[in-house]
Amino acid sequence: MKYFSLNNREHRSNFENAVIRGLAPDKGLYFPEEIVKLPESFFKKLPELSKTEIGFQVIKDYVGGEIPDNELENIISKTLDFDFPVVDVKKGIGSLELFHGPTLAFKDVGARFMAGSLGYFIKKGNIGNVTVLVATSGDTGGAVANGFLGVDGIDVVILYPKGKVSEIQEKQLTTLGQNITALEVDGAFDECQAMVKQAFLDEDISAKRKLTSANSINLARWLPQMFYYFLAYKQLEEKDEKLVFSVPSGNFGNICAGMLAREMGLPIDQFVASNNANDTVTSYLETEIYKPKPSVQTISNAMDVGDPSNFVRILQLFDNEYHSLKKNLTAYSFDDEETKKAIKEVFEETGYVMDPHGAVGYLGLQEFLKDKNGYYGTFLETAHPVKFLETVEEVIGKKVAIPDSIARIVDKEKKSLQISNYEDLKGYLMS
Ligand SMILES: *Cc1c(COP(=O)(O)O)cnc(C)c1O
């Protein structure tokens, strides 16, 4: 499989190079030259296939033989080594729980697959050691740290804003040790991100270290997110109704993977992009004008994105035709008050506890289903409610049970290096 840059179709790459680079040299996102169509026979067999077999069939043509089959199966089996249940919440509505991985958010899938792929390319031996440099506002850092922990040839350096991530999120970044270093930045997330961008352009640093990023623009983080739409379908295929998925969206990587899965043949009728107050895409679908905005802070903070980087991939899936996109994608935005109200109401009505991101997904689904018949709706529950403990406990007026994996890290000692400016970061990377 070849990939082209969305800035220039002439710039092409194989899978390996695209994974190592992240972005094309012209800063465009990579996009597959061909959308793989899965045969009828695959969907017939699907109910009997294991998670690994499903993942393998879905992604093998995108990897294009650049990772040998047995290695690829191995990577997929480690990536999907936890459950992806669709839980009935109420009549006609289910929650696809993506939080049963080690850091309790869906990003574990992409981060583990990327770590496995990059680890393989390094082991193969023609790129040398690599430093993965990422800025995080919360969930990405933990998933990346966990995914890359102990992978030979990779050092991970994570920048996070001091005092602006939750206690659990901070512990997930700072207690692992080994090849993971956490840099605690005296500043906001935007400053962390600006420093990371500057480091990528700094020739002194690139002479010394090979840097790569691990955010959702990377193919190896984006593509494996298709897996759980197929795993959900396996649980839903006996339903007589049409299927609709509502995806709480920030950078639009997750929903874009779902829409790619549909182009490959997965029978999903509609996608709903559920947004918080960051409503750039909601406005675009209403007005046909794409106008990025500065992000606003909400209680579903992993979706506080004003200019979603993967949206260009969604446009490409529909050949940049607004009307055809509009037929396939619906978007809604909700504010924090509506989100809290949904958490409370669903809890009181059903006993099911949603986190703020899942709650936005639930709201989008409910809005879509209003006045419609013949649908079964699934919203993606992208994080465990315990990751947003304060908000959730305050809203439902009850304690949320803490999973063992979290209870264990809360007692571990935090290890981070304090930095306050770019010179500090450069000093660290050059040392
Ligand atoms: C990252 C994240 C999102 C947003 O996913 P995108 O792929 O960026 O749209 C939603 N919910 C949670 C909990 C996240 O961590």
Side-chain angles (χ1 to χ4, degrees):
M1 177 69 75
K2 286 278 189 289
Y3 295 86
F4 63 91
S5 162
L6 286 177
N7 283 352
N8 177 359
R9 240 180 199 276
E10 299 307 307
H11 180 89
R12 297 160 84 234
S13 169
N14 64 3
F15 181 71
E16 171 172 351
N17 180 49
V19 170
I20 295 166
R21 292 196 56 98
L23 277 178
D26 61 7
K27 307 275 177 249
L29 272 69
Y30 285 112
F31 195 86
E33 285 209 314
E34 246 178 90
I35 308 263
V36 177
K37 301 281 178 196
L38 291 164
E40 192 86 10
S41 57
F42 167 76
F43 290 98
K44 281 223 177 77
K45 270 191 313 204
L46 191 85
E48 289 121 59
L49 300 181
S50 69
K51 286 184 289 189
T52 303
E53 286 166 330
I54 292 172
F56 181 76
Q57 292 303 324
V58 167
I59 211 157
K60 72 172 186 342
D61 291 334
Y62 292 103
V63 176
E66 293 174 49
I67 301 176
D69 287 357
N70 60 340
E71 285 278 353
L72 183 60
E73 276 170 5
N74 203 355
I75 293 169
I76 295 169
S77 133
K78 283 190 193 137
T79 299
L80 297 178
D81 182 24
F82 47 88
D83 294 332
F84 299 84
V86 179
V87 174
D88 266 317
V89 172
K90 57 200 231 185
K91 193 172 180 315
I93 292 189
S95 164
L96 170 57
E97 295 186 345
L98 299 176
F99 57 68
H100 296 279
T103 72
L104 311 185
F106 80 94
K107 290 190 176 71
D108 281 326
V109 171
R112 287 173 154 212
F113 186 84
M114 182 177 166
S117 305
L118 196 57
Y120 170 76
F121 293 133
I122 288 172
K123 197 169 62 190
K124 214 179 68 178
N126 39 18
I127 53 174
N129 279 20
V130 170
T131 300
V132 172
L133 183 66
V134 275
T136 184
S137 60
D139 281 339
T140 297
V144 167
N146 211 284
F148 284 86
L149 181 67
V151 179
D152 280 340
I154 301 182
D155 290 312
V156 177
V157 179
I158 299 167
L159 280 73
Y160 73 97
K162 184 185 175 83
K164 296 194 177 61
V165 302
S166 76
E167 188 194 346
I168 288 171
Q169 287 172 329
E170 182 173 43
K171 288 283 167 111
Q172 287 179 331
L173 301 174
T174 57
T175 58
L176 293 169
Q178 296 186 49
N179 58 334
I180 314 295
T181 304
L183 301 180
E184 187 173 358
V185 179
D186 197 5
F189 169 66
D190 289 344
E191 290 157 59
C192 299
Q193 191 147 37
M195 284 191 216
V196 166
K197 283 195 178 143
Q198 196 175 345
F200 278 107
L201 299 172
D202 192 321
E203 288 173 5
D204 296 338
I205 296 174
S206 45
K208 177 114 188 171
R209 286 183 186 243
K210 187 161 203 136
L211 288 184
T212 191
S213 163
N215 59 26
S216 65
I217 52 163
N218 195 300
L219 288 177
R221 261 197 65 187
W222 173 50
L223 294 170
Q225 299 180 128
M226 289 191 290
F227 296 164
Y228 39 70
Y229 292 92
F230 286 88
L231 298 177
Y233 178 71
K234 180 177 166 177
Q235 299 167 68
L236 297 170
E237 53 112 30
E238 285 184 346
K239 303 249 181 241
D240 293 326
E241 296 103 326
K242 288 187 281 190
L243 300 178
V244 50
F245 278 77
S246 170
V247 186
S249 296
N251 248 328
F252 280 68
N254 195 357
I255 192 166
C256 183
M259 296 180 91
L260 178 62
R262 177 174 55 183
E263 294 304 303
M264 293 170 68
L266 193 65
I268 297 176
D269 187 75
Q270 261 292 324
F271 277 92
V272 177
S274 296
N275 296 123
N276 59 25
N278 295 280
D279 62 354
T280 303
V281 171
T282 309
S283 313
Y284 170 74
L285 288 176
E286 273 164 20
T287 62
E288 208 181 335
I289 299 166
Y290 186 85
K291 202 165 127 218
K293 307 174 185 177
S295 60
V296 292
Q297 203 175 339
T298 73
I299 56 168
S300 44
N301 63 6
M303 299 165 19
D304 294 349
V305 181
D307 185 10
S309 42
N310 283 287
F311 194 62
V312 285
R313 281 184 170 141
I314 296 187
L315 290 172
Q316 181 64 36
L317 270 177
F318 296 94
D319 295 322
N320 293 296
E321 282 174 28
Y322 173 76
H323 294 283
S324 111
L325 171 62
K326 218 177 137 110
K327 268 191 232 123
N328 290 284
L329 179 68
T330 308
Y332 304 109
S333 292
F334 303 93
D335 65 25
D336 283 353
E337 286 318 304
E338 293 169 300
T339 308
K340 288 183 187 170
K341 193 158 163 264
I343 296 174
K344 189 171 162 67
E345 281 177 3
V346 168
F347 176 69
E348 283 170 359
E349 198 186 323
T350 69
Y352 192 77
V353 181
M354 303 186 295
D355 98 291
H357 303 78
V360 171
Y362 170 84
L363 283 166
L365 189 56
Q366 199 184 35
E367 190 65 31
F368 177 83
L369 294 174
K370 209 163 68 186
D371 314 320
K372 288 194 189 71
N373 287 317
Y375 279 97
Y376 184 85
T378 306
F379 65 94
L380 274 56
E381 185 34 299
T382 46
H384 193 295
V386 80
K387 285 194 103 167
F388 305 92
L389 203 58
E390 266 174 43
T391 306
V392 173
E393 288 187 341
E394 185 196 306
V395 170
I396 67 172
K398 268 200 151 163
K399 290 270 170 222
V400 178
I402 310 232
D404 290 347
S405 61
I406 294 296
R408 259 180 268 126
I409 66 161
V410 171
D411 293 331
K412 284 201 192 159
E413 191 195 346
K414 159 182 156 184
K415 286 210 179 82
S416 66
L417 298 171
Q418 311 267 338
I419 66 168
S420 46
N421 53 38
Y422 181 69
E423 289 313 310
D424 293 347
L425 172 63
K426 185 164 175 173
Y428 174 76
L429 291 173
M430 298 294 290
S431 67

